């Protein structure tokens, strides 16, 4: 999962990945700020800075160690793992589950959205993305 896909994964409560999974957050290479605070909240400031500044591809094992992934299982185990996680919630109402998630998650949406909009405002986004892609094939 690269870019927005990696950020979408980071937004999930449970992040189940296979041992072959890889993650990268290259947005800053072409001027787009996306999900930086969320990444730092998950993996810590130093690890987030390392991943972002070095544009590193994070392996599944490192992602698990950092907290970017919560469960590392073979693809054949995805459904059973998800089912077990849902079963663990039995007895909680949807409202209680929502409150737990809200109370235990830093709400960075407004700041993240403002940063994203500011990063998209300068002209030339298509050209920046094209230059990035040309250098990373």
């Amino acid at each position: 999962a690269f870019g927005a896909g990696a950020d979408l994964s980071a937004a999930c409560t449970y992040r189940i990945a296979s041992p072959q999974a890889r993650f990268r957050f290259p947005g800053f290479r072409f001027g787009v700020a996306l999900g930086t605070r969320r990444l730092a909240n998950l993996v810590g400031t130093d690890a987030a800075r390392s991943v972002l500044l070095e544009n590193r591809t994070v392996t599944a094992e490192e992602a698990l160690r950092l907290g970017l992934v919560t469960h590392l299982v073979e693809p054949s185990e995805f459904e059973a793992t998800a089912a077990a996680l849902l079963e663990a919630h039995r007895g909680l109402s949807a409202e209680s589950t929502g409150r737990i998630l809200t109370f235990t998650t830093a709400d960075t949406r407004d700041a993240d959205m403002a940063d994203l909009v500011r990063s998209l405002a300068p002209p030339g986004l298509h050209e920046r993305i094209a230059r990035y892609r040309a250098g990373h094939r």
Side-chain angles (χ1 to χ4, degrees):
F2 285 20
D7 187 57
L8 183 60
S9 174
C12 297
T13 299
Y14 297 115
R15 298 168 304 279
I16 304 169
S18 77
Q20 296 78 30
R22 303 287 180 265
F23 302 86
R24 189 182 315 152
F25 299 82
F28 283 99
R29 295 287 192 241
F30 45 89
V32 175
L34 182 64
T36 307
R37 286 179 187 85
R38 182 181 355 253
L39 178 64
N41 285 337
L42 283 176
V43 304
T45 301
D46 291 340
R49 286 178 177 167
S50 172
V51 167
L52 294 169
L53 289 170
E54 299 168 22
N55 195 32
R56 279 194 302 108
T57 299
V58 179
T59 65
E61 295 80 18
E62 182 182 9
L64 182 64
R65 191 173 59 254
L66 292 175
L68 181 57
V69 165
T70 57
H71 299 79
L72 193 58
V73 299
E74 291 298 330
S76 61
E77 299 172 41
F78 284 168
E79 287 187 37
T81 302
L85 291 168
L86 289 175
E87 179 62 25
H89 293 200
R90 190 184 342 193
L92 282 174
S93 67
E95 179 182 80
S96 292
T97 300
R99 292 179 68 139
I100 290 169
L101 297 178
T102 297
F103 296 159
T104 59
T105 303
D107 187 354
T108 64
R109 290 175 296 183
D110 289 343
D112 289 343
M113 184 58 72
D115 287 341
L116 175 60
V117 169
R118 276 191 297 272
S119 74
L120 294 173
L125 177 61
H126 291 301
E127 292 79 15
R128 292 192 307 269
I129 292 172
R131 280 193 306 273
Y132 173 79
R133 290 189 68 203
H136 287 86
R137 288 192 187 255

Coordinates of all heavy atoms in Angstrom, one line a residue, residues 8-87:
L8 N -4.8 5.1 4.2 CA -6.1 4.5 4.4 C -6.0 3.3 5.4 O -6.7 3.2 6.3 CB -6.8 4.1 3.1 CG -8.2 3.5 3.2 CD1 -9.1 4.4 3.9 CD2 -8.6 3.1 1.9
S9 N -4.9 2.5 5.2 CA -4.7 1.4 6.1 C -4.4 1.9 7.5 O -4.9 1.4 8.4 CB -3.5 0.6 5.5 OG -3.1 -0.4 6.4
A10 N -3.6 3.0 7.6 CA -3.2 3.5 8.9 C -4.5 4.1 9.6 O -4.5 4.2 10.9 CB -2.2 4.6 8.7
A11 N -5.5 4.4 8.9 CA -6.7 5.0 9.5 C -7.6 3.9 10.2 O -8.5 4.2 10.9 CB -7.5 5.7 8.5
C12 N -7.3 2.6 9.9 CA -8.1 1.5 10.4 C -7.8 1.1 11.8 O -6.6 1.3 12.2 CB -8.0 0.3 9.5 SG -8.5 0.6 7.8
T13 N -8.7 0.7 12.5 CA -8.5 0.2 13.9 C -7.6 -1.1 13.9 O -6.7 -1.1 14.7 CB -9.9 -0.1 14.6 OG1 -10.6 1.1 14.6 CG2 -9.6 -0.6 16.0
Y14 N -8.0 -2.0 13.1 CA -7.2 -3.2 13.0 C -6.6 -3.2 11.6 O -7.3 -3.0 10.6 CB -8.1 -4.5 13.1 CG -8.7 -4.6 14.5 CD1 -10.1 -4.5 14.7 CD2 -7.9 -4.8 15.6 CE1 -10.6 -4.6 15.9 CE2 -8.5 -4.9 16.9 CZ -9.8 -4.8 17.0 OH -10.4 -4.9 18.3
R15 N -5.3 -3.5 11.5 CA -4.6 -3.4 10.3 C -3.9 -4.8 10.0 O -2.9 -5.0 10.6 CB -3.6 -2.3 10.3 CG -4.3 -0.9 10.5 CD -3.4 0.2 10.9 NE -2.6 0.1 12.1 CZ -3.0 0.2 13.3 NH1 -4.3 0.6 13.6 NH2 -2.2 0.1 14.3
I16 N -4.7 -5.6 9.3 CA -4.2 -7.0 9.0 C -3.5 -7.0 7.7 O -4.0 -6.5 6.7 CB -5.5 -7.9 9.0 CG1 -6.3 -7.8 10.2 CG2 -5.0 -9.3 8.7 CD1 -7.7 -8.4 10.1
A17 N -2.3 -7.6 7.8 CA -1.5 -7.6 6.6 C -0.8 -9.0 6.4 O -0.7 -9.8 7.4 CB -0.3 -6.6 6.6
S18 N -0.5 -9.3 5.2 CA 0.2 -10.6 4.9 C 1.7 -10.3 5.0 O 2.2 -9.1 5.0 CB -0.1 -11.0 3.5 OG 0.7 -10.3 2.5
P19 N 2.5 -11.3 5.2 CA 4.0 -11.2 5.3 C 4.6 -10.5 4.0 O 5.7 -10.0 4.1 CB 4.5 -12.6 5.5 CG 3.4 -13.3 6.1 CD 2.1 -12.7 5.4
Q20 N 3.9 -10.5 2.9 CA 4.4 -9.9 1.7 C 4.0 -8.4 1.6 O 4.5 -7.8 0.6 CB 3.8 -10.6 0.5 CG 4.3 -12.1 0.4 CD 3.5 -13.0 1.3 OE1 2.3 -12.8 1.6 NE2 4.2 -14.1 1.8
A21 N 3.3 -7.9 2.5 CA 2.8 -6.5 2.4 C 4.0 -5.5 2.5 O 5.0 -5.8 3.2 CB 1.8 -6.2 3.5
R22 N 3.8 -4.4 1.9 CA 4.8 -3.3 1.9 C 4.0 -2.0 2.0 O 2.9 -1.9 1.4 CB 5.7 -3.3 0.6 CG 6.4 -4.6 0.4 CD 7.6 -4.8 1.4 NE 8.3 -6.0 1.1 CZ 8.1 -7.1 1.7 NH1 7.1 -7.2 2.6 NH2 8.8 -8.2 1.5
F23 N 4.6 -1.0 2.6 CA 4.0 0.3 2.8 C 5.0 1.4 2.5 O 6.2 1.3 2.9 CB 3.5 0.4 4.3 CG 2.5 -0.6 4.7 CD1 3.0 -1.8 5.2 CD2 1.2 -0.4 4.6 CE1 2.1 -2.8 5.6 CE2 0.3 -1.4 4.9 CZ 0.8 -2.6 5.5
R24 N 4.5 2.5 1.9 CA 5.3 3.7 1.7 C 4.4 4.9 1.6 O 3.3 4.8 1.2 CB 6.1 3.5 0.4 CG 7.1 4.7 0.3 CD 8.0 4.8 -1.0 NE 8.5 3.5 -1.4 CZ 8.8 3.2 -2.7 NH1 8.6 4.1 -3.6 NH2 9.3 2.1 -3.0
F25 N 5.0 6.0 2.1 CA 4.2 7.3 2.2 C 5.0 8.3 1.4 O 5.6 9.2 2.0 CB 4.1 7.7 3.6 CG 3.3 6.7 4.5 CD1 3.9 5.6 5.0 CD2 2.0 6.9 4.7 CE1 3.2 4.7 5.8 CE2 1.3 6.0 5.5 CZ 1.9 4.9 6.0
P26 N 4.9 8.3 0.0 CA 5.8 9.1 -0.8 C 5.3 10.5 -1.0 O 5.9 11.3 -1.7 CB 5.9 8.4 -2.1 CG 4.6 7.7 -2.2 CD 4.2 7.3 -0.8
G27 N 4.1 10.9 -0.5 CA 3.5 12.2 -0.9 C 4.4 13.4 -0.8 O 4.3 14.3 -1.7
F28 N 5.2 13.5 0.2 CA 6.0 14.7 0.3 C 7.0 14.8 -0.9 O 7.5 15.9 -1.1 CB 6.8 14.7 1.6 CG 5.9 15.2 2.7 CD1 5.3 14.2 3.6 CD2 5.6 16.5 3.0 CE1 4.4 14.6 4.6 CE2 4.7 16.9 4.0 CZ 4.1 15.9 4.8
R29 N 7.3 13.7 -1.5 CA 8.3 13.7 -2.6 C 7.7 14.5 -3.8 O 8.5 15.0 -4.7 CB 8.6 12.3 -3.1 CG 9.4 11.5 -2.1 CD 10.8 12.0 -2.0 NE 11.6 11.1 -1.3 CZ 12.2 11.4 -0.1 NH1 12.1 12.6 0.4 NH2 13.0 10.5 0.5
F30 N 6.4 14.7 -3.8 CA 5.8 15.5 -4.9 C 4.9 16.6 -4.2 O 4.0 17.2 -4.9 CB 5.0 14.7 -5.9 CG 4.2 13.6 -5.4 CD1 2.8 13.9 -5.1 CD2 4.7 12.4 -5.3 CE1 2.0 12.8 -4.6 CE2 3.9 11.3 -4.8 CZ 2.6 11.6 -4.5
G31 N 5.1 16.9 -3.0 CA 4.5 18.0 -2.3 C 3.1 17.8 -1.7 O 2.4 18.8 -1.4
V32 N 2.7 16.6 -1.5 CA 1.4 16.3 -0.9 C 1.5 15.8 0.5 O 2.2 14.8 0.8 CB 0.6 15.3 -1.8 CG1 -0.7 15.0 -1.1 CG2 0.4 15.9 -3.2
A33 N 0.9 16.5 1.5 CA 1.0 16.1 2.9 C -0.3 15.3 3.2 O -1.4 15.8 3.1 CB 1.0 17.4 3.8
L34 N -0.1 14.1 3.5 CA -1.3 13.2 3.7 C -1.0 12.2 4.9 O -0.1 11.4 4.8 CB -1.5 12.4 2.4 CG -2.7 11.4 2.5 CD1 -4.0 12.2 2.6 CD2 -2.8 10.6 1.2
G35 N -1.8 12.4 5.9 CA -1.8 11.4 7.0 C -0.6 11.4 7.9 O -0.3 10.4 8.6
T36 N 0.2 12.5 7.9 CA 1.4 12.5 8.6 C 1.2 12.3 10.1 O 1.9 11.6 10.8 CB 2.2 13.8 8.3 OG1 2.3 13.9 6.9 CG2 3.6 13.7 8.9
R37 N 0.3 13.1 10.7 CA 0.0 13.0 12.1 C -0.5 11.6 12.5 O -0.1 11.1 13.5 CB -1.0 14.0 12.5 CG -0.4 15.4 12.5 CD -1.5 16.5 12.9 NE -1.0 17.8 12.8 CZ -1.0 18.5 11.7 NH1 -1.5 17.9 10.6 NH2 -0.5 19.7 11.6
R38 N -1.3 11.0 11.7 CA -1.8 9.7 12.0 C -0.7 8.7 12.0 O -0.6 7.8 12.9 CB -2.9 9.3 10.9 CG -3.5 7.9 11.2 CD -4.5 7.5 10.1 NE -4.8 8.4 9.1 CZ -6.0 9.1 9.0 NH1 -6.9 8.9 9.9 NH2 -6.2 9.9 8.1
L39 N 0.2 8.8 11.0 CA 1.4 7.9 11.0 C 2.2 8.1 12.3 O 2.6 7.1 12.9 CB 2.2 8.1 9.8 CG 3.5 7.3 9.7 CD1 3.2 5.8 9.5 CD2 4.3 7.8 8.5
A40 N 2.5 9.3 12.7 CA 3.3 9.6 13.9 C 2.6 9.0 15.1 O 3.2 8.5 16.0 CB 3.6 11.1 14.0
N41 N 1.2 9.2 15.2 CA 0.5 8.7 16.3 C 0.6 7.1 16.4 O 0.6 6.6 17.5 CB -1.0 9.1 16.3 CG -1.2 10.6 16.6 OD1 -0.3 11.2 17.3 ND2 -2.2 11.1 16.1
L42 N 0.7 6.5 15.3 CA 0.7 5.0 15.3 C 2.1 4.5 15.6 O 2.3 3.6 16.4 CB 0.3 4.4 13.9 CG -1.1 4.4 13.6 CD1 -1.3 3.9 12.1 CD2 -1.9 3.5 14.5
V43 N 3.1 5.1 15.0 CA 4.5 4.5 15.0 C 5.5 5.3 15.9 O 6.6 4.9 16.1 CB 5.1 4.2 13.6 CG1 4.1 3.4 12.8 CG2 5.4 5.5 12.9
G44 N 5.1 6.5 16.3 CA 6.0 7.4 17.0 C 6.6 8.4 16.1 O 6.8 8.2 14.9
T45 N 7.0 9.5 16.7 CA 7.6 10.6 15.9 C 8.9 10.2 15.2 O 9.0 10.5 14.0 CB 7.9 11.8 16.9 OG1 6.7 12.2 17.5 CG2 8.5 13.0 16.1
D46 N 9.8 9.6 15.9 CA 11.1 9.2 15.3 C 10.9 8.3 14.1 O 11.5 8.4 13.0 CB 12.1 8.7 16.3 CG 12.5 9.7 17.3 OD1 12.4 11.0 17.0 OD2 13.0 9.4 18.3
A47 N 10.1 7.2 14.3 CA 9.9 6.3 13.2 C 9.2 6.9 12.0 O 9.5 6.7 10.9 CB 9.1 5.1 13.7
A48 N 8.2 7.7 12.3 CA 7.5 8.4 11.2 C 8.4 9.3 10.4 O 8.4 9.3 9.2 CB 6.3 9.2 11.8
R49 N 9.2 10.0 11.1 CA 10.2 10.9 10.4 C 11.1 10.1 9.6 O 11.4 10.5 8.4 CB 11.0 11.7 11.4 CG 10.2 12.9 12.0 CD 10.9 13.6 13.1 NE 10.1 14.8 13.6 CZ 10.4 15.5 14.6 NH1 11.5 15.2 15.3 NH2 9.7 16.5 15.0
S50 N 11.6 9.0 10.1 CA 12.5 8.1 9.3 C 11.8 7.6 8.0 O 12.4 7.7 7.0 CB 13.0 7.0 10.2 OG 13.7 6.0 9.4
V51 N 10.6 7.1 8.2 CA 9.9 6.6 7.0 C 9.7 7.7 6.0 O 9.9 7.5 4.8 CB 8.6 6.0 7.5 CG1 7.6 5.7 6.3 CG2 8.8 4.7 8.3
L52 N 9.2 8.9 6.5 CA 8.9 10.0 5.5 C 10.1 10.6 4.9 O 10.2 10.9 3.7 CB 8.1 11.0 6.3 CG 6.7 10.5 6.7 CD1 6.1 11.5 7.7 CD2 5.8 10.2 5.6
L53 N 11.1 10.9 5.7 CA 12.3 11.6 5.2 C 13.1 10.7 4.3 O 13.6 11.2 3.3 CB 13.2 12.1 6.4 CG 12.7 13.2 7.2 CD1 13.5 13.4 8.5 CD2 12.6 14.5 6.4
E54 N 13.2 9.4 4.5 CA 13.9 8.5 3.7 C 13.1 7.9 2.6 O 13.6 7.2 1.8 CB 14.5 7.4 4.6 CG 15.5 8.0 5.6 CD 15.9 6.9 6.7 OE1 15.7 5.7 6.4 OE2 16.2 7.4 7.8
N55 N 11.8 8.2 2.6 CA 10.9 7.6 1.6 C 11.0 6.0 1.6 O 11.1 5.4 0.6 CB 11.1 8.1 0.2 CG 9.9 7.8 -0.7 OD1 8.8 7.7 -0.3 ND2 10.2 7.7 -2.0
R56 N 11.2 5.5 2.8 CA 11.4 4.0 2.9 C 10.2 3.2 2.7 O 9.1 3.6 3.0 CB 11.9 3.7 4.3 CG 13.4 4.0 4.6 CD 13.9 3.4 5.8 NE 13.3 3.8 7.1 CZ 12.5 2.9 7.8 NH1 12.3 1.7 7.4 NH2 11.9 3.4 8.9
T57 N 10.4 2.1 2.0 CA 9.4 1.1 2.0 C 9.5 0.2 3.2 O 10.5 -0.3 3.5 CB 9.6 0.2 0.7 OG1 9.5 1.0 -0.5 CG2 8.5 -0.9 0.6
V58 N 8.4 0.2 3.9 CA 8.3 -0.6 5.2 C 7.8 -2.0 4.9 O 6.8 -2.2 4.3 CB 7.4 0.2 6.2 CG1 7.3 -0.6 7.5 CG2 7.8 1.6 6.4
T59 N 8.6 -2.9 5.3 CA 8.2 -4.3 5.2 C 7.1 -4.7 6.2 O 6.9 -4.0 7.2 CB 9.4 -5.3 5.4 OG1 9.8 -5.2 6.8 CG2 10.5 -5.0 4.5
A60 N 6.4 -5.8 5.9 CA 5.4 -6.2 6.8 C 5.9 -6.5 8.3 O 5.3 -6.1 9.2 CB 4.7 -7.5 6.3
E61 N 7.1 -7.1 8.4 CA 7.6 -7.3 9.7 C 7.9 -6.0 10.4 O 7.7 -5.9 11.6 CB 8.9 -8.2 9.6 CG 8.7 -9.6 9.0 CD 8.5 -9.6 7.5 OE1 8.9 -8.7 6.8 OE2 8.0 -10.6 7.0
E62 N 8.5 -5.1 9.7 CA 8.8 -3.8 10.4 C 7.5 -3.1 10.7 O 7.4 -2.5 11.8 CB 9.7 -2.9 9.5 CG 10.0 -1.6 10.1 CD 10.8 -0.6 9.2 OE1 11.0 -0.9 8.0 OE2 11.3 0.4 9.8
A63 N 6.5 -3.1 9.8 CA 5.2 -2.5 10.1 C 4.6 -3.1 11.4 O 4.0 -2.3 12.2 CB 4.3 -2.7 8.9
L64 N 4.7 -4.4 11.6 CA 4.2 -5.0 12.8 C 4.9 -4.5 14.0 O 4.3 -4.1 15.0 CB 4.2 -6.5 12.7 CG 3.7 -7.3 13.9 CD1 2.2 -7.0 14.0 CD2 3.9 -8.8 13.7
R65 N 6.2 -4.5 13.9 CA 7.1 -4.0 15.0 C 6.8 -2.5 15.4 O 6.7 -2.2 16.5 CB 8.5 -4.2 14.6 CG 9.5 -4.0 15.8 CD 11.0 -4.4 15.4 NE 11.5 -3.6 14.3 CZ 11.7 -4.1 13.0 NH1 11.4 -5.3 12.7 NH2 12.2 -3.3 12.1
L66 N 6.6 -1.7 14.4 CA 6.3 -0.3 14.6 C 4.9 0.0 15.1 O 4.6 1.1 15.6 CB 6.6 0.5 13.3 CG 8.0 0.6 12.8 CD1 8.0 1.3 11.4 CD2 8.9 1.3 13.8
G67 N 4.0 -0.9 14.8 CA 2.6 -0.7 15.1 C 1.7 -0.2 13.9 O 0.6 0.2 14.1
L68 N 2.3 -0.1 12.7 CA 1.6 0.3 11.5 C 0.7 -0.9 11.1 O -0.4 -0.6 10.5 CB 2.6 0.6 10.4 CG 2.0 1.0 9.1 CD1 1.2 2.3 9.2 CD2 3.2 1.3 8.1
V69 N 1.0 -2.1 11.5 CA 0.1 -3.3 11.3 C -0.1 -3.9 12.6 O 0.7 -3.9 13.5 CB 0.9 -4.3 10.4 CG1 0.2 -5.6 10.4 CG2 1.0 -3.7 9.0
T70 N -1.4 -4.3 12.8 CA -1.7 -4.9 14.1 C -1.7 -6.4 14.1 O -1.5 -7.1 15.1 CB -3.1 -4.5 14.6 OG1 -4.1 -4.9 13.6 CG2 -3.2 -3.0 14.9
H71 N -1.8 -7.0 12.9 CA -1.9 -8.5 12.8 C -1.2 -8.8 11.5 O -1.5 -8.3 10.4 CB -3.3 -9.0 12.7 CG -4.0 -8.7 14.0 ND1 -4.6 -7.5 14.2 CD2 -4.3 -9.5 15.0 CE1 -5.2 -7.5 15.4 NE2 -5.0 -8.7 15.9
L72 N -0.3 -9.8 11.6 CA 0.5 -10.3 10.4 C 0.1 -11.7 10.2 O 0.4 -12.6 11.1 CB 2.0 -10.1 10.6 CG 2.9 -10.3 9.4 CD1 2.5 -9.3 8.3 CD2 4.3 -10.1 9.8
V73 N -0.7 -12.0 9.2 CA -1.1 -13.4 8.9 C -1.1 -13.7 7.4 O -1.0 -12.8 6.6 CB -2.6 -13.6 9.4 CG1 -2.7 -13.3 10.9 CG2 -3.6 -12.7 8.7
E74 N -1.1 -15.0 7.1 CA -1.1 -15.4 5.7 C -2.5 -15.0 5.1 O -3.5 -15.0 5.9 CB -0.9 -16.9 5.6 CG 0.5 -17.4 6.0 CD 1.5 -16.8 5.1 OE1 1.2 -16.6 3.9 OE2 2.7 -16.6 5.6
P75 N -2.5 -14.7 3.8 CA -3.8 -14.4 3.2 C -5.0 -15.4 3.5 O -6.1 -15.0 3.7 CB -3.5 -14.3 1.7 CG -2.0 -13.9 1.7 CD -1.4 -14.7 2.9
S76 N -4.7 -16.6 3.6 CA -5.7 -17.6 3.9 C -6.3 -17.4 5.3 O -7.4 -18.0 5.6 CB -5.1 -19.0 3.7 OG -4.1 -19.2 4.7
E77 N -5.6 -16.7 6.1 CA -6.1 -16.4 7.5 C -6.8 -15.1 7.7 O -7.3 -14.8 8.8 CB -4.9 -16.5 8.5 CG -4.2 -17.9 8.5 CD -2.9 -17.8 9.3 OE1 -2.9 -17.2 10.4 OE2 -1.9 -18.4 8.8
F78 N -6.9 -14.3 6.6 CA -7.5 -13.0 6.8 C -8.9 -13.0 7.3 O -9.2 -12.3 8.3 CB -7.6 -12.2 5.4 CG -6.3 -11.7 4.9 CD1 -6.1 -11.2 3.6 CD2 -5.2 -11.6 5.8 CE1 -5.0 -10.7 3.2 CE2 -4.0 -11.1 5.3 CZ -3.9 -10.6 4.0
E79 N -9.8 -13.8 6.7 CA -11.2 -13.9 7.2 C -11.3 -14.4 8.6 O -12.1 -13.8 9.4 CB -12.0 -14.7 6.2 CG -12.3 -14.0 4.9 CD -13.2 -14.7 4.0 OE1 -14.2 -15.3 4.5 OE2 -13.0 -14.7 2.8
A80 N -10.6 -15.4 8.9 CA -10.7 -16.0 10.3 C -10.2 -15.0 11.3 O -10.7 -14.8 12.4 CB -9.9 -17.3 10.4
T81 N -9.1 -14.2 11.0 CA -8.6 -13.2 11.9 C -9.6 -12.1 12.1 O -9.9 -11.7 13.2 CB -7.3 -12.6 11.3 OG1 -6.3 -13.7 11.2 CG2 -6.7 -11.6 12.3
A82 N -10.2 -11.6 11.0 CA -11.2 -10.6 11.1 C -12.4 -11.1 11.9 O -12.9 -10.3 12.8 CB -11.7 -10.1 9.7
A83 N -12.8 -12.3 11.7 CA -14.0 -12.9 12.4 C -13.6 -12.9 13.9 O -14.5 -12.6 14.8 CB -14.3 -14.2 11.9
A84 N -12.4 -13.3 14.3 CA -12.0 -13.4 15.7 C -12.0 -12.0 16.3 O -12.4 -11.9 17.5 CB -10.7 -14.1 15.8
L85 N -11.6 -11.0 15.6 CA -11.6 -9.7 16.1 C -13.0 -9.2 16.4 O -13.3 -8.6 17.4 CB -10.8 -8.7 15.2 CG -9.3 -9.0 15.1 CD1 -8.7 -8.2 13.9 CD2 -8.6 -8.6 16.4
L86 N -13.9 -9.4 15.4 CA -15.3 -9.0 15.6 C -15.9 -9.8 16.8 O -16.7 -9.2 17.5 CB -16.0 -9.3 14.3 CG -15.7 -8.3 13.2 CD1 -16.5 -8.7 11.9 CD2 -16.0 -6.9 13.5
E87 N -15.6 -11.1 16.9 CA -16.1 -11.8 18.0 C -15.7 -11.3 19.3 O -16.5 -11.3 20.3 CB -15.7 -13.3 17.9 CG -16.2 -14.2 19.0 CD -17.7 -14.3 19.1 OE1 -18.4 -14.1 18.0 OE2 -18.2 -14.7 20.2

